[in-house]
Amino acid sequence: MQVDISSLEPRIALMVAGKDAKEDVYSSIIEEVVSCEITRSQAKEATLCCLYGMSAKNLRERLPDGIDAY
């Protein structure tokens, strides 16, 4: 038997941070965590990169200018 929970890692991270994840977890992250102008795709990439240990320096190179990777 196998169970696949959509976006499990970001949902757990939001829960630990005391934030509520809506149906679309990456839209929730844009609204409630980063509060800046990035696309859902960029939010997804940044979230997964952070969860799996990418440095802020490397993440900054993947995000639009003016977005604080920290």
Side-chain angles (χ1 to χ4, degrees), residues 8-62:
L8 180 62
E9 296 93 335
R11 290 181 188 286
I12 291 172
L14 282 173
M15 186 175 64
V16 167
K19 308 243 185 232
D20 185 34
K22 297 178 179 84
E23 187 173 330
D24 182 1
V25 70
Y26 299 109
S27 293
S28 294
I29 289 171
I30 292 170
E31 294 170 12
E32 299 179 26
V33 179
V34 296
S35 301
C36 64
E37 297 290 327
I38 61 173
T39 65
R40 183 188 179 282
S41 177
Q42 290 167 327
K44 181 176 181 177
E45 180 179 15
T47 299
L48 295 175
C49 287
C50 289
L51 286 173
Y52 288 101
M54 179 178 276
S55 71
K57 178 184 177 232
N58 288 332
L59 180 57
R60 187 177 325 130
E61 295 172 2
R62 301 179 97 131

